[in-house]
Amino acid sequence: MLEKGLKYESVETVCDANTAVAAGSGDLPVFATPAMVALMENAAMMAVAGNLPEGATTVGTQISVSHVKASPAGARITASAELVEVDGRRLVFAVRAWDESGTIGEGSHTRFVVDRERFMSKL
């Protein structure tokens, strides 16, 4: 059962593979905005994964975040997601990311519950 308050935290360390240089989103060796977004989405997906019906998953449809601080190589990044709204199949999460020195980004993320087979059959 999906209820408000479900939470999860995803963690990764800044390395060459998740920098702005590697992502092509910038030319500095700092944690990339696309990597931060992916970590936030992962946290949201995982927050509800254990509470979905058999054969269901969630897909991201919208994300609105700010990335307010750079994180250097070696920094430990944690992204959290908390389910704050359930409207049928639509799920809204408050997302936040931080490193050892504080918040690096925050915002909201929307996902929809879908049947895996039906979703893939439409592609």
Side-chain angles (χ1 to χ4, degrees), residues 10-40:
S10 295
V11 179
E12 81 181 54
T13 300
V14 180
C15 62
D16 290 342
N18 58 22
T19 64
V21 173
S25 63
D27 60 4
L28 296 173
V30 296
F31 194 54
T33 300
M36 181 188 74
V37 167
L39 197 61
M40 290 171 162

Side-chain angles (χ1 to χ4, degrees), residues 26-70:
D27 60 4
L28 296 173
V30 296
F31 194 54
T33 300
M36 181 188 74
V37 167
L39 197 61
M40 290 171 162
E41 283 199 85
N42 179 264
M45 176 191 71
M46 295 302 294
V48 297
N51 296 79
L52 295 173
E54 184 73 29
T57 190
T58 59
V59 294
T61 60
Q62 186 275 334
I63 191 157
S64 177
V65 296
S66 60
H67 191 175
V68 298
K69 183 186 163 304

Side-chain angles (χ1 to χ4, degrees), residues 32 41 43 58 82 109 116:
E41 283 199 85
T58 59
E82 179 177 355
H109 176 44
R116 290 172 182 272

Side-chain angles (χ1 to χ4, degrees), residues 4 7 11 15 22 24 37 47-48 61 67-71 76 84 92 106 111 113-115 118:
K4 291 192 305 186
K7 298 177 187 178
V11 179
C15 62
V37 167
V48 297
T61 60
H67 191 175
V68 298
K69 183 186 163 304
S71 300
R76 182 173 188 253
V84 296
V92 179
E106 59 190 346
R111 300 184 72 80
V113 177
V114 299
D115 178 88
R118 197 163 116 196

